Amino acid sequence: MLLAVASGVLLLGATLTAAWIASPAPVRLDAHVRARLSSSNGRALPLSAIAPIMREAVVATEDERFYRHNGIDVIGVIRALPYDVVHLSLAQGASTITEQLAKVLFLGGNDRTPWRKLEDAAVALKLEGRYSKERILAAYLNSAYFGGGAYGVQAASERYFGVSPRQLGLAQATLLAGLIQAPSAYDPLRHPEGARARQVEVLRSLLRNGFITQRGAASVLARPLPLHGAPGVPPVFRVDLSLGPAFIWWQLALGAAVVATGAAVLAGSRSRRVRGIRGLTAGRLVSLVLIVAGAATVVRSFRVV
């Protein structure tokens, strides 16, 4: 059992070390941003030239623990673990703003494999060690794709609203922040209803993080949102903006039960009566998997961590 665990730890350590060595050094960050914008009408701006509400909306929606991690959101990874294990995918990989920036600027925009995910994480750690949070956020806002050929917040602000990023208000900023996840699906020019639905999610994120009030969020949704050179996004009413309970209770109970089951199996395997039984090592490994999966489910049950 101990030999298997030690071998697994060594293999993991060797893999992480290889990913660190193989991943590129994130040097000349501003030059990489300019290169990404060179084929579009986007322009890189300092963070001071972007409305605070736009910065807050993007952080709250894309990476709410941005200012509390060092490039990798461990809590987010734990929260995503049950879904990814069940679906055998990396669909909920919990990518941070720093990891997204690493993927776009230094890894060719591709992180569909486990190895690429490890390289994302390695470059993200290097970015955080080299640049301030402000530099990283500015680079992200200047290089994100907002749809319709608009790369960067400057091009997006002008395309959709005909204003500079400094002039963005709450309604405009929350709509733009929602585009980053899926620019085509939430394009307000072609899919105004989808854009509004995504905007509601952004407003909830801002509410959850204390940036706005429910009255302010409801006011945004109750007014039509004018677009530059196109019909505006119509208002929506009676939208439930409540944040709900702090826990998802059934998920919390399920996770706790799985942890308890795994712990009981592990404790039982250490009894003298069962020592020497064939398959005992495999049973212990299963119990450890149960404990990890249960703990991840408990963490995921928290709406805010």
Side-chain angles (χ1 to χ4, degrees), residues 42-247:
R43 188 173 73 253
L45 301 173
L47 207 58
S48 59
I50 302 170
I53 190 59
M54 181 65 196
R55 287 137 45 185
E56 292 159 358
V58 169
V59 170
T61 307
E62 292 294 312
D63 184 4
E64 63 183 353
R65 285 176 289 275
F66 174 66
Y67 290 104
R68 288 178 275 160
H69 63 63
N70 293 316
I72 301 173
D73 182 6
V74 176
I75 293 174
V77 172
I78 293 173
R79 286 169 63 90
L81 186 62
Y83 181 96
D84 286 345
V85 169
V86 170
H87 293 82
L88 298 177
S89 75
L90 298 172
Q92 300 220 355
S95 290
T96 64
I97 281 175
T98 317
E99 286 175 297
Q100 293 178 53
L101 186 66
K103 176 184 69 173
V104 168
L105 295 187
F106 298 97
L107 295 171
N110 176 19
D111 67 350
R112 295 179 182 274
T113 66
W115 176 255
R116 277 296 197 180
K117 286 286 187 182
L118 289 177
E119 286 192 306
D120 271 356
V123 177
L125 290 171
K126 294 177 182 179
L127 277 166
E128 295 267 353
R130 184 181 291 267
Y131 303 102
S132 67
K133 289 288 188 181
E134 289 70 25
R135 286 280 301 280
I136 291 170
L137 181 57
Y140 181 78
L141 289 168
N142 283 316
S143 58
Y145 182 58
F146 291 88
Y151 287 86
V153 65
Q154 180 268 332
S157 299
E158 294 186 357
R159 168 175 167 75
Y160 294 107
F161 302 114
V163 301
S164 72
R166 194 192 301 274
Q167 297 172 298
L168 290 170
L170 176 59
Q172 297 164 323
T174 48
L175 187 133
L176 288 183
L179 292 177
I180 296 174
Q181 185 184 78
S184 297
Y186 301 129
D187 185 341
L189 302 175
R190 293 186 297 167
H191 307 292
E193 293 182 358
R196 272 296 196 194
R198 177 60 178 160
Q199 186 182 36
V200 170
E201 296 177 20
V202 177
L203 288 167
R204 285 202 185 103
S205 296
L206 285 167
L207 275 168
R208 185 171 60 246
N209 287 275
F211 290 116
I212 61 173
T213 64
Q214 282 206 19
R215 178 177 294 182
S219 177
V220 164
L221 298 174
R223 298 173 182 171
L225 180 55
L227 296 174
H228 181 55
V233 179
V236 290
F237 303 97
R238 299 177 182 175
V239 177
D240 183 10
L241 290 167
S242 61
L243 301 179
F247 302 94

Side-chain angles (χ1 to χ4, degrees), residues 74-94 248 250-252 254-256 258-259 289-302:
V74 176
I75 293 174
V77 172
I78 293 173
R79 286 169 63 90
L81 186 62
Y83 181 96
D84 286 345
V85 169
V86 170
H87 293 82
L88 298 177
S89 75
L90 298 172
Q92 300 220 355
I248 301 175
W250 70 264
Q251 207 169 40
L252 177 64
L254 175 63
V258 172
V259 170
V289 170
L290 287 174
I291 291 172
V292 171
T297 304
V298 169
V299 173
R300 192 176 177 83
S301 72
F302 287 74

Side-chain angles (χ1 to χ4, degrees), residues 263-272 274 280:
V265 171
L266 184 61
S269 70
R270 301 178 68 85
S271 170
R272 292 182 179 181
V274 298
L280 183 59

